[in-house]
Amino acid sequence: MIDKHNREINYLRISITDRCNLRCVYCMPKEGMSFIGHQDILRYEEMLRIVTVAVKTGITKVRVTGGEPLVRRGAIDFLSSLKKVEGLRDISLTTNGVLLEDCAEAIFDAGIRRINISLDSLVPERYGDITRGGDLGSVIGGIRKAYSTGFSPIKINVVAIQGFNDDEILDFARLTIDRPYQVRFIEFMPIGEAALDNDLGYLSNDEVMRRISGFAPMEPVVQTRRDRMDGPARLYTLEGAQGKIGFISAMSHGFCSSCNRLRLTADGHLRACLLADEPTVDLKAPLRDGCTDSELEALIRDLIGRKPDSYKTDCHQGHRRKCATNMSSIGG
Ligand code: SAM
Ligand code: SF4
């Protein structure tokens, strides 16, 4: 469906759980998180029904995320059932990679080829600090396994934070030289409680680019229609590199004008915007009250109709606006 700002809304991100086996400093508070209760979390069959109806509104692409999607029992079977939804052309997964080494083959066998893995440091101790306890070795093992299993593309998401991991920018860029990884720098977004943490220093992607260019020239990649469908990353390569470097600059170069996304949270709310808690619509209550597919479709279409044209974020200018929901509950 085309929204009133002339954007084709064709992409749904589904957070299948708000739980996680890590506690990344920019995403979740150290403690005191309250999680969605068993009764309130959408069941897989409810998510599938929403997807099947959303396809009628023009959704062709789904990304499964979390929290950490691989901690929810049945996640791989869910991926497999998504593959059977007629009209879906593209299904992908975002994971922190901790459990990936053991289940990469099963995910591949479920038909998934596109995978994003989050990794913010290549130094074991620091990785442990950023994630509050994560084991870098397991994620590296997961990335290697994803590569040997045949996933493509493999995208490595890095949130660059001033004073935290910004001295590793070149090390991340170098990962693209020998392997066809797409390393993507994501600007820190002041969402949920992370927005209140003044220790998290914003770093613009212009600065990240400047630092990489000081190491070696980067050539812009001529983006295919598929690349553009893939999302808002601006892509570059280092000379002779197999992989690509991407920049996702939600804060400094907002991409609202081309936003094609809806987000389904694990408690059944459909969000129109990552950075704004409104508008949303609760789909779980009508689903459980026995609504028809047409009624569900009307709710989705109505939300698309209310999708805002843009959301002003200016945290980098010192005015930290935020949405109150933690990123782990929205799914990124
Ligand atoms: N647990 C999975 C993972 O870490 O990949 C999936 C969910 S996580 C919320 C999805 C993405 O959101 C990750 O790449 C993470 O780095 C990113 N993210 C979380 N909080 C963020 C923030 N405040 N600003 C920018 N990106 C953030
Ligand atoms: Fe968990 Fe992903 Fe959030 Fe880290 S970014 S706490 S891995 S949901």
Side-chain angles (χ1 to χ4, degrees):
M1 175 176 162
I2 309 285
D3 78 354
K4 64 174 187 267
H5 308 291
N6 209 25
R7 299 169 298 195
E8 186 182 353
I9 310 304
N10 54 18
Y11 182 13
L12 175 66
R13 296 172 72 104
I14 307 177
S15 171
I16 64 171
T17 178
D18 60 341
R19 290 170 197 252
C20 187
N21 45 2
L22 298 179
R23 290 285 180 279
C24 301
V25 289
Y26 51 73
C27 178
M28 266 182 160
K30 187 173 179 185
E31 46 207 15
M33 274 293 285
S34 50
F35 294 103
I36 303 168
H38 186 66
Q39 289 305 320
D40 287 327
I41 197 145
L42 273 189
R43 296 188 286 269
Y44 286 128
E45 55 271 24
E46 292 171 327
M47 293 180 203
L48 270 178
R49 181 154 172 229
I50 292 171
V51 171
T52 308
V53 171
V55 166
K56 295 185 195 166
T57 72
I59 296 294
T60 57
K61 177 174 168 177
V62 165
R63 173 171 295 278
V64 172
T65 174
E68 172 48 38
L70 297 179
V71 300
R72 182 161 176 189
R73 199 175 311 145
I76 299 175
D77 289 341
F78 176 60
L79 289 166
S80 177
S81 45
L82 279 176
K83 283 298 289 182
K84 295 179 192 125
V85 175
E86 226 169 282
L88 273 191
R89 290 208 289 268
D90 187 336
I91 299 154
S92 53
L93 175 72
T94 298
T95 171
N96 61 30
V98 169
L99 301 174
L100 189 57
E101 188 166 6
D102 284 345
C103 58
E105 282 173 359
I107 297 169
F108 194 85
D109 291 345
I112 307 302
R113 297 292 178 268
R114 306 164 65 76
I115 196 160
N116 289 11
I117 302 162
S118 303
L119 177 60
D120 302 315
S121 177
L122 300 168
V123 179
E125 208 171 88
R126 189 182 285 177
Y127 180 79
D129 288 345
I130 291 182
T131 57
R132 299 200 185 94
D135 168 38
L136 177 64
S138 58
V139 184
I140 299 289
I143 294 174
R144 289 198 178 126
K145 185 67 184 225
Y147 179 68
S148 63
T149 306
F151 283 90
S152 176
I154 295 173
K155 298 183 185 176
I156 299 177
N157 288 346
V158 185
V159 179
I161 298 175
Q162 179 79 46
F164 230 82
N165 58 358
D166 57 316
D167 56 341
E168 294 187 58
I169 288 170
L170 294 183
D171 297 332
F172 275 108
R174 284 189 194 101
L175 292 181
T176 64
I177 294 176
D178 296 330
R179 290 270 163 98
Y181 299 144
Q182 192 183 117
V183 170
R184 308 175 338 145
F185 293 96
I186 300 176
E187 288 179 341
F188 166 64
M189 290 179 263
I191 287 189
E193 293 180 46
L196 307 173
D197 187 340
N198 291 320
D199 289 343
L200 294 175
Y202 170 79
L203 186 67
S204 77
N205 266 342
D206 288 345
E207 175 60 16
V208 175
M209 284 175 87
R210 197 188 61 73
R211 294 198 202 174
I212 299 174
S213 308
F215 154 70
M218 279 193 298
E219 284 296 318
V221 172
V222 180
Q223 287 181 245
T224 58
R225 189 170 173 274
R226 171 104 209 187
D227 287 333
R228 285 194 300 274
M229 274 275 292
D230 233 15
R234 289 173 294 148
L235 298 177
Y236 293 79
T237 50
L238 295 173
E239 201 183 354
Q242 292 191 39
K244 295 176 189 160
I245 302 175
F247 297 92
I248 303 182
S249 314
M251 307 308 294
S252 61
H253 298 79
F255 32 77
C256 300
S257 64
S258 59
C259 178
N260 59 351
R261 302 171 179 200
L262 298 176
R263 292 176 163 85
L264 180 64
T265 59
D267 64 354
H269 284 79
L270 194 63
R271 290 173 73 98
C273 175
L274 168 64
L275 290 162
D277 283 335
E278 289 296 337
T280 57
V281 60
D282 177 14
L283 297 182
K284 184 181 65 198
L287 266 179
R288 293 188 182 176
D289 286 344
C291 72
T292 63
D293 281 358
S294 320
E295 286 163 342
L296 197 54
E297 184 178 335
L299 289 172
I300 299 172
R301 287 187 183 274
D302 177 64
L303 185 78
I304 294 175
R306 289 186 290 133
K307 198 170 152 65
D309 64 337
S310 70
Y311 183 74
K312 269 215 163 314
T313 48
D314 43 9
C315 77
H316 54 296
Q317 293 164 358
H319 310 288
R320 290 193 161 211
R321 296 188 186 176
K322 69 185 185 83
C323 74
T325 313
N326 288 319
M327 189 71 112
S328 56
S329 305
I330 307 171

